[in-house]
Amino acid sequence: MTPRPLPSPPPNAPAPRPRFGVSRRISLGFGLVLLLHIAIAALNHFGLTQASADFAAYQANTLAAQRVVAISRNAFQLQRNVMLFAHTGSSGTARRVQQLHDKLSEQLSDGKTATPQAGPRDTYDALAGLLGNYMTGFDQVKQGRGIRQSLAYTALPQIGNTATDALSQITEDAWAQHNFRRAALAGRAKEKLLQTSADALAYLRSPSIQRVTHALKALDECKDLLNQLSDTAANQAQTDQVARVQALLPRYESTLLKMVQTTRGYLHLVSVVMAGEAAEFVRYSDAFQQQTLHELDTLAARMTQENHRFKAVSNGVSVVSILLGVLAAWLIGRSVVPPLNAITRTLTRLSRDESETEIPGLNRRDEIGQMAAAAQVFRGKADETRLLLEDSRRLGEELHDKNEEMQRFAYTVSHDLKAPLVSCTGLLNFASEDLESGDHDKVRSAMGRVQANVKRMDRSIQDLLDLSQIGRVRHDPEFLDMLRLLGQVAADLRPRADAAQATITIANDLPMVVADRNRMIEVFENLLVNALKYGCPTPGGQITVGGSANEQETRLFVRDNGPGIAPRYHDKIFGLFQRLDKSQEGSGAGLSIVQRIMEMHGGRIWVESDGSAATCFWIAFPHAAAPAHHASDAAV
Amino acid sequence: MPHRVEPPAKDSSANVPPQTNRRRFIKKSAAAVVGAGSVFHVPYAFARTRPRLRVLGMHVTLQEELRHRAEHDLGIDLVFDVRGAAAVLQKASTQPESFDVYEQSSNSISIMQQAGAIQPLETARITHWDRINALTKTGRLTPDAPLGRGDAPHKMLYVQPDGRSGSAPSDRVAFLPYVHNVDAFGYNAQVVPQGRAYETESWGWLLDERWAGRVGLVNEPTIGLFDAALAAQAKGLVTFNDIGAMSRPELDALFEVLIDFKLRGHFNGIWSSVPQSIDFMQRGQVVIESMFSPAISSLRSQGVPAVYAAPKEGYRAWHGVMCLSAAAKGATLDAAYDYMNWWLTAWPGAFITRQGYYMPIPELVRTQLAPEEWDYWYDGKPAVRDLPGTDGRTVVTAGSVRNGGSYTTRLSNIAVWNTVMDTYEYSLQRWYEFLTA
């Protein structure tokens, strides 16, 4: 019995620590997705913060724009009321101017407070400065207008009335004195003075230097008339009367000119200085408004752009995140699931005793590789178990065969040994009877037959001993020159071949065989003896020994040209003490011995014959198989 | 950005900003002069109390450097009441007792006289009266020079027997003529192609469509109105019988043009102070505008290639005058005469020359100027070296030539003097309309 070699033991060393294992890949994948989510969250936070800041800035700018618009509107109202005051002098209008100024100051102050940027704050300061200058001008306007009113409606009429009253008195006195020339001169002087007064009032209504010139001309004419009037004075009293009027006229003229200059002054203030301030105020506020609106537009555009950009980036990051997540899942899945499935399938196949299954992932240096290594161990154990089971089964079968063989052997041995004993017993009984009868010849004959049976039994026992010796007596295998070995065997059998008139032919190209020399002699002695005994029943028998070798084994044969062996006996003939032709001397143990020797060498023996002519016994030595004595003793 | 908006001045020089560094320069100069020994007599050294003189006027002449120098030279205390032109005129014409000396431009004289706010000056008490040049006395520096339109100072210089001003010489004058100049428009030669003086440079450039939206004007009817009128006339948009005495229809026609231009956004700055006019051009808000001489110097010193035009139509001229308050008398009156005489001496003349202004006795000024300064400022020759301003900073780089030529050439090309026309009140109304359009 040749034991099957066990599979190589699986590696017991732990799998190398994975450099980039599944857990790390999964961690990396989730980490990547987590990072992207964090990025999206950060992006969202940044975007929302930016949007909030932009919205706040937009609101602030909107408020600033509204504030500037309100300031411009109030500035326009202020200017309108100032102009209205310049023409009407209404105290209510002046109060409204002050209210508008206060309101504007408050708006400018609020605007500056609410504006963090230096530029707009400077603008608010500039507007406040312009407003201050404007109101300073307005105060001067009020003062000038007050002076003008005082001059025009108090001082000037007072002087004028005094003068005209005096001239009226002179006229009345002249009429009373029938001094018609004096009365006429006084009347005309009064008329000129009234004309001057009328021109002065006309100047107030519609300022024009022509009216002043006209007034001064009338005043000069009045002075001339007063001079003429003075010349008509008849006494000191009349002279003094005219002189008092004459003394009034320079004051009247001076007051008139002051009124004119005051009017011009506040008109200049209103029309030029304050209008200039207002124009500058409007220019500033317009520029400020435009700048604010431009900033609003810019901010709105930027917000829109930022929104689009943020949306695009957010979408992009989300898409990238999704794609990377899917990719990571796919990569991880591809990296983990197929090997797991393969290992699962492998384990399933192993569970079905499909031992030739390839273990996937053995070359991996990760958890899958570790799992594959474990599966490999499992497969090794399974193979080992399977082989052990097969060995067990085979050994069982062999044991059964051996038992049967043993039974047959015991039967055969007992039968073949018992038969001579029975014969001996019977012959001894006959001899005993013959001895009592005194028939010594019969006794001698019987004893001779007893002796023959004993010899036969002895030979049988010797064969049994030989058979049992096979495998126990071992010699080292060696390269055997079969031609030489067979030549020696054939030479030893020549007497028997000659007796049988048979020819033994040995091929010259016999292959070399590695085997136990003595056992090979024993094999070929048995085969050649058998061939001489049973294959050469008649003279002229031909016994041929040949052989050949192929890749698997080396074969040798012994062929005779005898009657052949029927195929039904091809197995039987290898049984112990089995003889088809009992006419020939022998125990029937030869082929059993040959078969046992071949088995010991890992080889085999079989017979080819159709039972009609010629028999060829083949023995084969496998190239890979070591001689049987290399195996365990248990097989013997 | 923001400017300190000053009341407008009829006198273009009224807006010269006082500058600290100028003061330092002047102080150094003054110290140098004092160190060399003062040439000025101190007439009141024996007085028990130091005379105090109140001067009402504008920035151009009421500068701290000048005050300190005058106080030192004259041994008096000077109180400068610095205001804008309108405020000065307003206060002076209504409160003659509030000042001793009045400084303004000549076109305010008739108003001051009418108001009785000033008293005549005796030419005998004006030390260098005879040396004052012919411009103030006749309106011409040379016999063939054209007379400028409007309120030429010679028309109101002499006090006539009836107490009013006239051109007939007398022993009494309404004012002491001193600082004067001609004005035009300035332009940024980086944008506006530089023209040739008296040949291509024209007031019409102010209304040139090429510079629409970048044109500035001075906010003063008695000044800006004439700049605009000269421009409109040069462009053939309006004609005037006498540009120095515009009638109402002429004013209406002029303002129709101006308002039309303004509504079309032609003007981008109506300035009320010299710093403002500088800022306008420096920031590029305007490239051409009515300008005063100091603004040009300032812009050039800052690297802006500003050119002060010499218009072929002639300049708008102005003449600063000093008047005596009607209330001045006694020691104050004497101090006032001394102060006025001080102004006609060399040092203040040189000081004011370095700001681009002229004085009526150039030969006296010349004694205090370096030859190259004289050549540049008065003779119209190229500067042979960098020339300093009153603060010591270079205001004229070597090789520069004063546009318009020499003093004589420039003052012989006067189109109109700053003038308070008979239609003044009406011009105010239309000006207001123009500003608010």
Side-chain angles (χ1 to χ4, degrees), chain B residues 384-399:
Chain B
V384 296
R385 62 172 172 85
D386 289 350
L387 300 180
T390 54
D391 59 357
R393 285 194 308 174
T394 296
V395 294
V396 176
T397 55

Side-chain angles (χ1 to χ4, degrees), chain B residues 187-265:
Chain B
Y187 58 93
N188 186 340
Q190 242 174 1
V191 181
V192 180
Q194 188 162 1
R196 293 189 300 279
Y198 307 121
E199 293 181 19
T200 61
E201 289 177 338
S202 167
W203 284 101
W205 290 10
L206 284 175
L207 296 179
D208 194 316
E209 298 286 355
R210 286 180 297 171
W211 323 124
R214 291 181 290 175
V215 179
L217 213 57
V218 57
N219 180 27
E220 174 52 49
T222 57
I223 303 174
L225 181 62
F226 292 109
D227 292 354
L230 286 164
Q233 184 171 256
K235 293 287 284 183
L237 301 173
V238 182
T239 56
F240 303 98
N241 182 44
D242 180 353
I243 200 169
M246 298 179 216
S247 65
R248 281 196 171 208
E250 288 171 340
L251 280 174
D252 288 340
L254 174 61
F255 277 103
E256 285 304 306
V257 170
L258 294 180
I259 290 170
D260 176 54
F261 271 80
K262 187 164 190 283
L263 291 176
R264 286 191 281 117

Side-chain angles (χ1 to χ4, degrees), chain A residues 517-538:
Chain A
R517 170 181 290 274
N518 293 329
R519 293 301 177 194
M520 285 302 102
I521 292 172
E522 195 172 358
V523 165
F524 281 99
E525 279 180 351
N526 274 298
L527 291 175
L528 288 173
V529 167
N530 272 356
L532 287 172
K533 282 199 302 190
Y534 304 111
C536 300
T538 57

Side-chain angles (χ1 to χ4, degrees), chain B residues 101-411:
Chain B
V101 173
Y102 165 80
E103 294 188 354
Q104 251 281 19
S105 61
S106 58
N107 49 299
S108 67
I109 290 301
S110 59
I111 295 172
M112 292 297 288
Q113 284 185 322
Q114 288 170 356
I118 56 176
Q119 60 176 299
L121 292 166
E122 295 177 14
T123 57
R125 297 193 65 176
I126 299 173
T127 310
H128 299 297
W129 175 254
D130 293 337
R131 300 178 68 177
I132 290 176
N133 66 22
L135 180 67
T136 317
K137 295 173 179 175
T138 66
R140 292 186 175 94
L141 280 175
T142 56
D144 54 347
L147 283 174
R149 299 282 189 171
D151 291 341
H154 74 279
K155 295 180 182 175
M156 59 193 78
L157 175 62
Y158 295 103
V159 177
Q160 304 302 305
D162 62 357
R164 296 183 180 178
S165 294
S167 57
S170 72
D171 295 335
R172 297 189 305 165
V173 291
F175 52 84
L176 174 73
Y178 69 139
V179 180
H180 58 280
N181 204 353
V182 287
D183 286 340
F185 61 90
Y187 58 93
N188 186 340
Q190 242 174 1
V191 181
V192 180
Q194 188 162 1
R196 293 189 300 279
Y198 307 121
E199 293 181 19
T200 61
E201 289 177 338
S202 167
W203 284 101
W205 290 10
L206 284 175
L207 296 179
D208 194 316
E209 298 286 355
R210 286 180 297 171
W211 323 124
R214 291 181 290 175
V215 179
L217 213 57
V218 57
N219 180 27
E220 174 52 49
T222 57
I223 303 174
L225 181 62
F226 292 109
D227 292 354
L230 286 164
Q233 184 171 256
K235 293 287 284 183
L237 301 173
V238 182
T239 56
F240 303 98
N241 182 44
D242 180 353
I243 200 169
M246 298 179 216
S247 65
R248 281 196 171 208
E250 288 171 340
L251 280 174
D252 288 340
L254 174 61
F255 277 103
E256 285 304 306
V257 170
L258 294 180
I259 290 170
D260 176 54
F261 271 80
K262 187 164 190 283
L263 291 176
R264 286 191 281 117
H266 187 80
F267 301 106
N268 196 34
I270 309 294
W271 55 265
S272 298
S273 70
V274 169
Q276 201 176 11
S277 70
I278 294 169
D279 184 62
F280 281 2
M281 189 167 286
Q282 195 178 30
R283 288 193 295 116
Q285 181 178 332
V286 302
V287 297
I288 183 169
E289 61 178 335
S290 302
M291 292 195 86
F292 299 156
S293 178
I296 294 291
S297 300
S298 176
L299 284 168
R300 282 179 178 168
S301 70
Q302 296 173 61
V304 179
V307 174
Y308 208 26
K312 59 185 177 184
E313 295 86 5
Y315 296 102
R316 174 180 46 74
W318 58 270
H319 211 302
V321 298
M322 279 193 283
C323 304
L324 278 173
S325 166
K329 57 185 179 183
T332 301
L333 185 66
D334 295 336
Y337 270 109
D338 286 337
Y339 178 67
M340 292 180 182
N341 282 322
W342 177 83
W343 256 106
L344 293 181
T345 59
W347 192 90
F351 181 87
I352 214 74
T353 294
R354 294 190 181 99
Q355 294 183 352
Y357 304 123
Y358 299 115
M359 291 297 285
I361 313 176
E363 62 270 23
L364 271 180
V365 175
R366 188 173 191 170
T367 62
Q368 193 68 28
L369 293 175
E372 49 271 29
E373 287 182 305
W374 172 265
D375 288 346
Y376 176 82
W377 293 112
Y378 271 89
D379 269 3
K381 295 176 181 174
V384 296
R385 62 172 172 85
D386 289 350
L387 300 180
T390 54
D391 59 357
R393 285 194 308 174
T394 296
V395 294
V396 176
T397 55
S400 300
V401 180
R402 193 167 193 183
N403 202 27
S406 68
Y407 170 64
T408 304
T409 304
R410 300 180 85 221
L411 271 296

